[in-house]
Structures are given as structure tokens and as C-alpha cells.
């Protein structure tokens, strides 16, 4: 079995190398899993994906789906669709449908059969709970469809780094629903912080015309950035540049610990077994 | 058009009623959108979904897909699959594939054609960034496929409330990968807090055998709870019991503001236009 072979290989690596290094293999306490880039993907979740189902699979169940490098005019259409579709189904649907609608026109199936509304729930940081920004969940779905789960996740990780470090929104639609004046850097992938910081800077409330316009433009920005990386992959020029935060910080987290923890940042926990050094959770 | 009719109806309601009330309609600054339960779904995203694509749609693009009420033996299979599949593709894939694999066997298409690995990226709070727990993203996809985006989101909102308030994990697999002794209440839908609190209580590090086993069991728990609500819907007994936090708090957020903000909880911002009262973001 492939797992046995990987397990044997893994014995030459320390646990820390396994966790924080190239991430090829993670072995802890006899459990063998295979990670891709950063914490990446586990065994059976590569680009040519496998599933555990006993039912017959159709072609569309296997990722990635066909992708054609998109042109500037295509990206403009994607941004227009994403912006307008925010007002149909909020942020996650907006970002995903911006990309998938274009790919339906350019590629057709299996995109035409994909139920884009399946992601609508992710708005407002997942059903309004303020967690991961819905645009990023929509982007993750689109990237995974078009690049497969492993590369799709690597692309999303790059998009998330850009999202947290960039003054947004950038996109200026031809037909805005409201005029806005502010841009802001979220320093976080969380809806609560991203939209909250922008609302404070703009001086508006939640569900104001300005806030909705801001989130619609943000959906366009995230869709365009995702396509930028998908195009790079189509040109065989995409390379994962950054490790996922969980691999760097020893815990799924943002990278700017002090924003929430102040000066009392817990030390990086011991990877794998052993006593946790997390003090404040 | 339905939107025009709803807009006319909306004029009898104040903006605050629109935002914080039953959430049927939200009108701000001339922008009309239709919300479902809580902040719910916008126009065109009901159970019989519509899309903006110009390409031909196939049946599978329209939600919900067929769902058969599942029996106790089915739920046990789902939990076993979810637990085992955590070690194939982490939490979001585990929860989603637990449910979809069973529905592939019971229902067949369109579930057999759905690329379950599309959600793998959501592990670790989305690519390891510590945001929304991946089990909840997987649950949201499964619920939306089987109940449509509107009811699927309402189901997920109930699952999230339960998730944040319940000592987890509950599930005890026949074949655990590791022995664990602790249960913990997350008080948050965020991976960073949910797994961090449990790791501290158990006294183990990230990617320890115990942490991985805990998250695998959690995937089973979330899958089973989601099916509980899907079964209730199949019996016409599901009713959304709780508003989404964004509708209650005037901002996408958790409900326990003091956990992050201490005693300095910002006042609820003015809904819609006007100056934001958010002080700390």
C-alpha cells in the first residue's frame, strides 16, 4: 500500500520537519497521512482525486475540471457578474458565480451542472457568524474545481494572504449601487474584522448601501485575484509561495497574533504529541 | 416583478425592523434584497434556485437534490465514514463526504457526480487560517445540496449554535486512531478557538494523534447533527428556531462578544446607513 511506503519513508524525518517542513508526510503516533504544500492535502486528495464511495463515479466527480486561460475581457465580465450577483446571493455566491458563470460560457460542462447556490450559506462569515469571509470560501470552491483540491488550496492560501494585506476594495464597477470612499486592510480573513474595520473607516452601519457596495466590490476583487492564479497555473507558472499559517504557527490561526492576544502571545505549541503550550485558549 | 412587490411591502417597516426582525426583506438606500431566515437568502436563491448564467442548465444545477430520510443505521455509517475520511482529507471533506457517500449509495445521482474534494481546502479554518471550522463548511454544503440554499442555511445556523454550545466530541468510533479523554465547548465557530481550547484541556499539541482523533470525531458529530435536521425537514418538522447572529448583533459575529472584547463591547451599530457605532474595529 502507498501509505505503508510513505510511513516507512517518514521515519527518517523528525516530527517537526514533518509538521513545519515541506509537508510531504505527517506521521504522529502511528497515524500516517500525506500532506501537500504547507499542511496541504492528505492522501487521496491530489489533483486526480480519489473518493471512498462505493457508488459509481462520473467524470464530473473527479477534479480538476477543464480550465482555459482567461483574457482581460473575461476577467472584466467575471468582476461585473460577481459585483451584480452580490445583490442576488451575497459574497460567497458572488465570487463563485462570477467565475463559474464565465466558465459555463467558455467551457460548458461540468461547470453548467454545478449548483452554484450550494455556497450561498457562507455569506457573513458563514451564516452570519462572522467567521471566514465568504468571498474566500467562494474562491476556494472555484479554485478547487478548476485546479483540483491540492493546487486549488495553494491558490486560495495565496489569495488569503493578499486579501489580508491589501487595501480593498479595488474594483470600481461601471454601475455601482452606491458611492463609497474608503479602502481598508483587514489584517484577517474573518468577515467580522474585515467588514467591521471598513465600516468604521467609512462611518456607516451594517447593511448600509455603502457596506453592501463595498462587499460586492470585494467579491469582484477576490474573484479576479483567484483567476490571476488560475491563469498562472494554466501557463504552468503557478508556484505556492507561502506556507499555510497552521504550518508556520503550529495551530490554525492568522499570522498577526498580537491583534487579538496583545503582548500575551502564547508560544508556538509543540507540534505533534506532548504537552500543549497554548496558554490563552 | 417579485422584487418590486416586496419593495412596496417594505415601506411599511422601519429599517431596524427590516434588519433585526423576521428578516423577510431588507431595503436600504434604494437597494432591495429579500432575506430568508435571519439574514437568510437573497432574491433568486430560494429552494428552487435561479442563476444568472446564460449557459444551459442541467437538472443537477438546481437545488435541492432528492433526499430520503435516513435511518439510525445510515447515520452510523455516515459517522464511520466521516471519522475515517478525516484521515483522508481533514475536517470539511470528512463531514461532507460522510453524508454524500451515504446519499450516493441511497439516492445515486446527482450526488454521485458531485466532486466532494471541492471542499477539502476548508480544513483548519480555511487553508489553515483558523477561521470557520471546516466541519461547518462541509455541513453547509451537504445541507444546501439536500435542502436547498435557504433551508440548508437555516439548518446550518442551528448546527452552528449547537456546535458552539455543546461539549464535543460525542462520537465514539469502534476503531479509534487514538484514545482521548476530554470534551470541550468551543463557544465559537472558529477552528482556532475550537481546537485550541480542546488541545489545552487535553494537554496535547497540534497534529498530535489525540488532536487528529478529536477533530475526526467532531466531523462525525457535525455530520450526524446535520442529518438530524435534514431528517426533520424530510418529515416537514424542521423550523428555523434561531436568528442568524448578524441579524441579532447588527454585524456578522459570534454572540459572546465579551470573549474577545472583554468588558469593552462595542454598542450594536446603527443598522443601515448612518454613523457606525463600532468602536474597536
Amino acid at each position: 500500500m502507498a501509505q505503508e511506503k510513505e510511513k516507512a519513508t517518514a521515519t527518517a524525518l523528525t516530527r517537526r520537519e514533518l509538521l513545519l517542513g515541506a509537508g510531504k508526510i505527517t506521521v504522529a503516533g502511528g497515524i500516517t497521512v500525506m500532506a501537500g504544500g504547507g499542511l496541504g492535502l492528505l492522501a487521496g486528495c491530489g489533483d486526480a482525486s480519489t473518493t471512498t464511495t462505493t457508488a459509481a463515479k462520473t467524470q464530473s466527480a473527479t477534479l480538476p475540471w477543464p480550465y482555459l486561460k482567461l483574457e482581460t475581457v473575461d476577467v472584466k465580465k467575471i468582476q461585473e457578474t460577481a459585483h451584480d450577483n452580490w445583490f442576488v446571493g451575497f459574497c460567497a455566491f458572488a465570487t463563485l458565480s462570477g467565475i463559474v458563470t464565465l466558465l459555463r460560457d467558455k467551457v460548458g460542462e461540468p461547470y453548467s451542472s454545478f449548483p452554484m447556490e450550494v455556497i450561498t450559506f457562507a455569506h457573513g462569515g458563514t451564516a452570519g457568524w462572522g467567521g471566514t469571509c465568504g468571498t474566500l470560501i467562494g474562491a476556494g470552491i472555484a479554485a478547487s474545481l478548476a485546479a483540483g483540491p491540492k493546487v486549488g488550496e495553494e491558490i486560495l492560501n495565496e489569495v488569503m494572504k493578499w486579501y489580508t494585506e491589501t487595501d480593498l476594495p479595488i474594483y470600481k464597477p461601471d454601475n455601482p449601487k452606491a458611492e463609497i470612499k474608503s479602502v481598508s486592510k483587514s489584517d484577517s480573513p474573518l468577515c467580522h474584522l474585515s467588514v467591521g474595520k471598513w465600516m468604521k473607516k467609512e462611518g456607516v452601519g451594517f447593511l448600509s448601501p455603502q457596506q453592501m457596495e463595498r462587499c460586492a466590490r470585494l467579491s469582484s476583487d477576490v474573484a479576479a485575484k483567484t483567476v490571476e492564479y488560475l491563469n498562472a497555473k494554466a501557463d504552468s507558472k503557478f508556484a505556492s509561495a507561502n506556507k499555510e499559517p497552521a504550518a508556520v504557527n503550529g495551530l490554525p490561526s492568522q499570522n498577526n497574533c498580537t491583534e487579538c492576544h496583545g503582548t500575551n502571545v502564547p508560544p508556538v505549541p509543540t507540534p505533534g504529541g506532548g504537552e500543549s503550550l497554548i496558554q490563552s485558549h
Side-chain angles (χ1 to χ4, degrees), chain A residues 111-139:
Chain A
Y111 295 100
S112 299
S113 296
F114 188 77
M116 302 188 297
E117 289 82 357
V118 77
I119 205 59
T120 312
F121 73 85
H123 74 84
T126 316
W129 282 76
T132 307
C133 171
T135 66
L136 299 170
I137 303 294

PDB file of all heavy atoms in Angstrom, chain A residues 111-139:
ATOM      1  N   TYR A 111     -19.138  22.594 -15.558  1.00  0.00           N
ATOM      2  CA  TYR A 111     -19.499  23.810 -14.812  1.00  0.00           C
ATOM      3  C   TYR A 111     -21.006  24.106 -14.894  1.00  0.00           C
ATOM      4  O   TYR A 111     -21.610  24.587 -13.932  1.00  0.00           O
ATOM      5  CB  TYR A 111     -18.702  25.003 -15.333  1.00  0.00           C
ATOM      6  CG  TYR A 111     -17.216  24.883 -15.098  1.00  0.00           C
ATOM      7  CD1 TYR A 111     -16.362  24.483 -16.116  1.00  0.00           C
ATOM      8  CD2 TYR A 111     -16.664  25.151 -13.846  1.00  0.00           C
ATOM      9  CE1 TYR A 111     -14.994  24.349 -15.914  1.00  0.00           C
ATOM     10  CE2 TYR A 111     -15.298  25.018 -13.627  1.00  0.00           C
ATOM     11  CZ  TYR A 111     -14.464  24.616 -14.658  1.00  0.00           C
ATOM     12  OH  TYR A 111     -13.120  24.492 -14.449  1.00  0.00           O
ATOM     13  N   SER A 112     -21.602  23.820 -16.074  1.00  0.00           N
ATOM     14  CA  SER A 112     -23.027  24.129 -16.248  1.00  0.00           C
ATOM     15  C   SER A 112     -23.913  23.338 -15.290  1.00  0.00           C
ATOM     16  O   SER A 112     -25.019  23.765 -14.966  1.00  0.00           O
ATOM     17  CB  SER A 112     -23.450  23.837 -17.695  1.00  0.00           C
ATOM     18  OG  SER A 112     -22.717  24.649 -18.586  1.00  0.00           O
ATOM     19  N   SER A 113     -23.423  22.203 -14.853  1.00  0.00           N
ATOM     20  CA  SER A 113     -24.201  21.357 -13.942  1.00  0.00           C
ATOM     21  C   SER A 113     -23.906  21.636 -12.477  1.00  0.00           C
ATOM     22  O   SER A 113     -24.533  21.041 -11.597  1.00  0.00           O
ATOM     23  CB  SER A 113     -23.903  19.872 -14.207  1.00  0.00           C
ATOM     24  OG  SER A 113     -24.316  19.512 -15.489  1.00  0.00           O
ATOM     25  N   PHE A 114     -22.943  22.513 -12.207  1.00  0.00           N
ATOM     26  CA  PHE A 114     -22.574  22.725 -10.807  1.00  0.00           C
ATOM     27  C   PHE A 114     -23.572  23.668 -10.139  1.00  0.00           C
ATOM     28  O   PHE A 114     -23.824  24.775 -10.616  1.00  0.00           O
ATOM     29  CB  PHE A 114     -21.164  23.309 -10.708  1.00  0.00           C
ATOM     30  CG  PHE A 114     -20.663  23.366  -9.290  1.00  0.00           C
ATOM     31  CD1 PHE A 114     -20.204  22.217  -8.658  1.00  0.00           C
ATOM     32  CD2 PHE A 114     -20.674  24.554  -8.578  1.00  0.00           C
ATOM     33  CE1 PHE A 114     -19.771  22.254  -7.341  1.00  0.00           C
ATOM     34  CE2 PHE A 114     -20.238  24.599  -7.260  1.00  0.00           C
ATOM     35  CZ  PHE A 114     -19.779  23.450  -6.639  1.00  0.00           C
ATOM     36  N   PRO A 115     -24.131  23.245  -9.004  1.00  0.00           N
ATOM     37  CA  PRO A 115     -25.128  24.081  -8.314  1.00  0.00           C
ATOM     38  C   PRO A 115     -24.463  25.205  -7.526  1.00  0.00           C
ATOM     39  O   PRO A 115     -24.150  25.055  -6.354  1.00  0.00           O
ATOM     40  CB  PRO A 115     -25.828  23.080  -7.396  1.00  0.00           C
ATOM     41  CG  PRO A 115     -24.779  22.048  -7.098  1.00  0.00           C
ATOM     42  CD  PRO A 115     -23.898  21.966  -8.312  1.00  0.00           C
ATOM     43  N   MET A 116     -24.286  26.334  -8.182  1.00  0.00           N
ATOM     44  CA  MET A 116     -23.515  27.430  -7.580  1.00  0.00           C
ATOM     45  C   MET A 116     -24.105  27.920  -6.262  1.00  0.00           C
ATOM     46  O   MET A 116     -23.380  28.402  -5.395  1.00  0.00           O
ATOM     47  CB  MET A 116     -23.433  28.601  -8.557  1.00  0.00           C
ATOM     48  CG  MET A 116     -22.800  28.251  -9.899  1.00  0.00           C
ATOM     49  SD  MET A 116     -22.497  29.710 -10.933  1.00  0.00           S
ATOM     50  CE  MET A 116     -24.150  30.324 -11.208  1.00  0.00           C
ATOM     51  N   GLU A 117     -25.433  27.781  -6.122  1.00  0.00           N
ATOM     52  CA  GLU A 117     -26.080  28.277  -4.894  1.00  0.00           C
ATOM     53  C   GLU A 117     -25.723  27.440  -3.675  1.00  0.00           C
ATOM     54  O   GLU A 117     -26.091  27.791  -2.551  1.00  0.00           O
ATOM     55  CB  GLU A 117     -27.602  28.309  -5.072  1.00  0.00           C
ATOM     56  CG  GLU A 117     -28.106  29.385  -5.999  1.00  0.00           C
ATOM     57  CD  GLU A 117     -28.022  28.992  -7.464  1.00  0.00           C
ATOM     58  OE1 GLU A 117     -27.511  27.887  -7.750  1.00  0.00           O
ATOM     59  OE2 GLU A 117     -28.444  29.781  -8.314  1.00  0.00           O
ATOM     60  N   VAL A 118     -25.000  26.339  -3.884  1.00  0.00           N
ATOM     61  CA  VAL A 118     -24.625  25.490  -2.758  1.00  0.00           C
ATOM     62  C   VAL A 118     -23.742  26.237  -1.764  1.00  0.00           C
ATOM     63  O   VAL A 118     -23.629  25.829  -0.605  1.00  0.00           O
ATOM     64  CB  VAL A 118     -23.914  24.211  -3.279  1.00  0.00           C
ATOM     65  CG1 VAL A 118     -22.466  24.499  -3.686  1.00  0.00           C
ATOM     66  CG2 VAL A 118     -23.973  23.086  -2.256  1.00  0.00           C
ATOM     67  N   ILE A 119     -23.144  27.339  -2.188  1.00  0.00           N
ATOM     68  CA  ILE A 119     -22.200  28.052  -1.321  1.00  0.00           C
ATOM     69  C   ILE A 119     -22.811  29.310  -0.699  1.00  0.00           C
ATOM     70  O   ILE A 119     -22.162  29.985   0.106  1.00  0.00           O
ATOM     71  CB  ILE A 119     -20.933  28.431  -2.123  1.00  0.00           C
ATOM     72  CG1 ILE A 119     -19.728  28.597  -1.196  1.00  0.00           C
ATOM     73  CG2 ILE A 119     -21.147  29.678  -2.965  1.00  0.00           C
ATOM     74  CD1 ILE A 119     -19.389  27.361  -0.395  1.00  0.00           C
ATOM     75  N   THR A 120     -24.057  29.581  -1.003  1.00  0.00           N
ATOM     76  CA  THR A 120     -24.649  30.837  -0.523  1.00  0.00           C
ATOM     77  C   THR A 120     -24.585  30.967   0.992  1.00  0.00           C
ATOM     78  O   THR A 120     -24.388  32.057   1.537  1.00  0.00           O
ATOM     79  CB  THR A 120     -26.112  30.941  -1.009  1.00  0.00           C
ATOM     80  OG1 THR A 120     -26.162  30.635  -2.398  1.00  0.00           O
ATOM     81  CG2 THR A 120     -26.664  32.333  -0.771  1.00  0.00           C
ATOM     82  N   PHE A 121     -24.707  29.842   1.704  1.00  0.00           N
ATOM     83  CA  PHE A 121     -24.711  29.863   3.170  1.00  0.00           C
ATOM     84  C   PHE A 121     -23.478  30.505   3.772  1.00  0.00           C
ATOM     85  O   PHE A 121     -23.483  30.900   4.947  1.00  0.00           O
ATOM     86  CB  PHE A 121     -24.826  28.435   3.722  1.00  0.00           C
ATOM     87  CG  PHE A 121     -23.551  27.631   3.557  1.00  0.00           C
ATOM     88  CD1 PHE A 121     -22.532  27.705   4.496  1.00  0.00           C
ATOM     89  CD2 PHE A 121     -23.344  26.832   2.443  1.00  0.00           C
ATOM     90  CE1 PHE A 121     -21.339  26.990   4.335  1.00  0.00           C
ATOM     91  CE2 PHE A 121     -22.176  26.115   2.269  1.00  0.00           C
ATOM     92  CZ  PHE A 121     -21.164  26.203   3.214  1.00  0.00           C
ATOM     93  N   ALA A 122     -22.388  30.592   2.994  1.00  0.00           N
ATOM     94  CA  ALA A 122     -21.110  31.054   3.560  1.00  0.00           C
ATOM     95  C   ALA A 122     -21.032  32.575   3.709  1.00  0.00           C
ATOM     96  O   ALA A 122     -20.009  33.101   4.165  1.00  0.00           O
ATOM     97  CB  ALA A 122     -19.945  30.543   2.710  1.00  0.00           C
ATOM     98  N   HIS A 123     -22.077  33.275   3.366  1.00  0.00           N
ATOM     99  CA  HIS A 123     -22.039  34.746   3.493  1.00  0.00           C
ATOM    100  C   HIS A 123     -21.937  35.161   4.964  1.00  0.00           C
ATOM    101  O   HIS A 123     -22.288  34.400   5.869  1.00  0.00           O
ATOM    102  CB  HIS A 123     -23.294  35.366   2.862  1.00  0.00           C
ATOM    103  CG  HIS A 123     -24.534  35.181   3.673  1.00  0.00           C
ATOM    104  ND1 HIS A 123     -24.879  36.019   4.719  1.00  0.00           N
ATOM    105  CD2 HIS A 123     -25.511  34.251   3.622  1.00  0.00           C
ATOM    106  CE1 HIS A 123     -26.008  35.615   5.253  1.00  0.00           C
ATOM    107  NE2 HIS A 123     -26.417  34.538   4.615  1.00  0.00           N
ATOM    108  N   GLY A 124     -21.452  36.387   5.167  1.00  0.00           N
ATOM    109  CA  GLY A 124     -21.377  36.917   6.533  1.00  0.00           C
ATOM    110  C   GLY A 124     -20.490  36.078   7.438  1.00  0.00           C
ATOM    111  O   GLY A 124     -20.719  35.989   8.643  1.00  0.00           O
ATOM    112  N   GLY A 125     -19.442  35.466   6.874  1.00  0.00           N
ATOM    113  CA  GLY A 125     -18.569  34.636   7.693  1.00  0.00           C
ATOM    114  C   GLY A 125     -19.260  33.361   8.134  1.00  0.00           C
ATOM    115  O   GLY A 125     -19.091  32.921   9.276  1.00  0.00           O
ATOM    116  N   THR A 126     -20.024  32.739   7.229  1.00  0.00           N
ATOM    117  CA  THR A 126     -20.788  31.506   7.423  1.00  0.00           C
ATOM    118  C   THR A 126     -22.075  31.776   8.209  1.00  0.00           C
ATOM    119  O   THR A 126     -22.045  31.906   9.444  1.00  0.00           O
ATOM    120  CB  THR A 126     -19.966  30.399   8.141  1.00  0.00           C
ATOM    121  OG1 THR A 126     -18.643  30.326   7.582  1.00  0.00           O
ATOM    122  CG2 THR A 126     -20.636  29.042   7.992  1.00  0.00           C
ATOM    123  N   ALA A 127     -23.157  31.889   7.468  1.00  0.00           N
ATOM    124  CA  ALA A 127     -24.492  32.109   8.032  1.00  0.00           C
ATOM    125  C   ALA A 127     -24.525  33.273   9.031  1.00  0.00           C
ATOM    126  O   ALA A 127     -25.236  33.222  10.032  1.00  0.00           O
ATOM    127  CB  ALA A 127     -25.026  30.825   8.686  1.00  0.00           C
ATOM    128  N   GLY A 128     -23.704  34.295   8.730  1.00  0.00           N
ATOM    129  CA  GLY A 128     -23.737  35.493   9.566  1.00  0.00           C
ATOM    130  C   GLY A 128     -23.017  35.383  10.893  1.00  0.00           C
ATOM    131  O   GLY A 128     -23.179  36.232  11.768  1.00  0.00           O
ATOM    132  N   TRP A 129     -22.163  34.370  11.049  1.00  0.00           N
ATOM    133  CA  TRP A 129     -21.445  34.168  12.304  1.00  0.00           C
ATOM    134  C   TRP A 129     -20.086  34.879  12.347  1.00  0.00           C
ATOM    135  O   TRP A 129     -19.330  34.717  13.327  1.00  0.00           O
ATOM    136  CB  TRP A 129     -21.255  32.674  12.565  1.00  0.00           C
ATOM    137  CG  TRP A 129     -22.492  32.002  13.086  1.00  0.00           C
ATOM    138  CD1 TRP A 129     -23.599  31.652  12.371  1.00  0.00           C
ATOM    139  CD2 TRP A 129     -22.756  31.598  14.444  1.00  0.00           C
ATOM    140  NE1 TRP A 129     -24.535  31.057  13.187  1.00  0.00           N
ATOM    141  CE2 TRP A 129     -24.036  31.007  14.470  1.00  0.00           C
ATOM    142  CE3 TRP A 129     -22.024  31.671  15.639  1.00  0.00           C
ATOM    143  CZ2 TRP A 129     -24.608  30.507  15.639  1.00  0.00           C
ATOM    144  CZ3 TRP A 129     -22.599  31.155  16.800  1.00  0.00           C
ATOM    145  CH2 TRP A 129     -23.876  30.599  16.788  1.00  0.00           C
ATOM    146  N   GLY A 130     -19.735  35.618  11.293  1.00  0.00           N
ATOM    147  CA  GLY A 130     -18.521  36.442  11.334  1.00  0.00           C
ATOM    148  C   GLY A 130     -17.222  35.687  11.161  1.00  0.00           C
ATOM    149  O   GLY A 130     -16.158  36.242  11.417  1.00  0.00           O
ATOM    150  N   GLY A 131     -17.262  34.435  10.713  1.00  0.00           N
ATOM    151  CA  GLY A 131     -16.028  33.653  10.508  1.00  0.00           C
ATOM    152  C   GLY A 131     -15.360  33.999   9.183  1.00  0.00           C
ATOM    153  O   GLY A 131     -15.357  35.164   8.766  1.00  0.00           O
ATOM    154  N   THR A 132     -14.793  32.992   8.529  1.00  0.00           N
ATOM    155  CA  THR A 132     -14.071  33.232   7.278  1.00  0.00           C
ATOM    156  C   THR A 132     -14.937  34.003   6.287  1.00  0.00           C
ATOM    157  O   THR A 132     -16.091  33.629   6.037  1.00  0.00           O
ATOM    158  CB  THR A 132     -13.672  31.884   6.640  1.00  0.00           C
ATOM    159  OG1 THR A 132     -12.967  31.104   7.597  1.00  0.00           O
ATOM    160  CG2 THR A 132     -12.786  32.117   5.420  1.00  0.00           C
ATOM    161  N   CYS A 133     -14.366  35.069   5.723  1.00  0.00           N
ATOM    162  CA  CYS A 133     -15.084  35.875   4.723  1.00  0.00           C
ATOM    163  C   CYS A 133     -15.606  34.974   3.612  1.00  0.00           C
ATOM    164  O   CYS A 133     -14.877  34.146   3.062  1.00  0.00           O
ATOM    165  CB  CYS A 133     -14.136  36.925   4.145  1.00  0.00           C
ATOM    166  SG  CYS A 133     -14.814  37.824   2.721  1.00  0.00           S
ATOM    167  N   GLY A 134     -16.872  35.146   3.259  1.00  0.00           N
ATOM    168  CA  GLY A 134     -17.499  34.295   2.257  1.00  0.00           C
ATOM    169  C   GLY A 134     -16.842  34.363   0.897  1.00  0.00           C
ATOM    170  O   GLY A 134     -16.864  33.380   0.144  1.00  0.00           O
ATOM    171  N   THR A 135     -16.249  35.502   0.559  1.00  0.00           N
ATOM    172  CA  THR A 135     -15.576  35.594  -0.746  1.00  0.00           C
ATOM    173  C   THR A 135     -14.469  34.546  -0.846  1.00  0.00           C
ATOM    174  O   THR A 135     -14.218  34.005  -1.918  1.00  0.00           O
ATOM    175  CB  THR A 135     -14.965  36.985  -0.985  1.00  0.00           C
ATOM    176  OG1 THR A 135     -13.899  37.220  -0.063  1.00  0.00           O
ATOM    177  CG2 THR A 135     -16.009  38.085  -0.849  1.00  0.00           C
ATOM    178  N   LEU A 136     -13.816  34.272   0.282  1.00  0.00           N
ATOM    179  CA  LEU A 136     -12.701  33.322   0.285  1.00  0.00           C
ATOM    180  C   LEU A 136     -13.204  31.885   0.155  1.00  0.00           C
ATOM    181  O   LEU A 136     -12.540  31.032  -0.449  1.00  0.00           O
ATOM    182  CB  LEU A 136     -11.865  33.493   1.549  1.00  0.00           C
ATOM    183  CG  LEU A 136     -11.241  34.888   1.703  1.00  0.00           C
ATOM    184  CD1 LEU A 136     -10.636  35.065   3.089  1.00  0.00           C
ATOM    185  CD2 LEU A 136     -10.216  35.159   0.616  1.00  0.00           C
ATOM    186  N   ILE A 137     -14.369  31.608   0.724  1.00  0.00           N
ATOM    187  CA  ILE A 137     -14.961  30.271   0.570  1.00  0.00           C
ATOM    188  C   ILE A 137     -15.390  30.078  -0.884  1.00  0.00           C
ATOM    189  O   ILE A 137     -15.145  29.015  -1.483  1.00  0.00           O
ATOM    190  CB  ILE A 137     -16.161  30.086   1.524  1.00  0.00           C
ATOM    191  CG1 ILE A 137     -15.745  30.332   2.995  1.00  0.00           C
ATOM    192  CG2 ILE A 137     -16.758  28.696   1.350  1.00  0.00           C
ATOM    193  CD1 ILE A 137     -14.783  29.328   3.555  1.00  0.00           C
ATOM    194  N   GLY A 138     -16.004  31.102  -1.476  1.00  0.00           N
ATOM    195  CA  GLY A 138     -16.374  31.017  -2.887  1.00  0.00           C
ATOM    196  C   GLY A 138     -15.151  30.829  -3.770  1.00  0.00           C
ATOM    197  O   GLY A 138     -15.158  30.035  -4.719  1.00  0.00           O
ATOM    198  N   ALA A 139     -14.083  31.571  -3.449  1.00  0.00           N
ATOM    199  CA  ALA A 139     -12.840  31.452  -4.218  1.00  0.00           C
ATOM    200  C   ALA A 139     -12.237  30.060  -4.080  1.00  0.00           C
ATOM    201  O   ALA A 139     -11.703  29.505  -5.044  1.00  0.00           O
ATOM    202  CB  ALA A 139     -11.843  32.510  -3.747  1.00  0.00           C
TER     203      ALA A 139
END
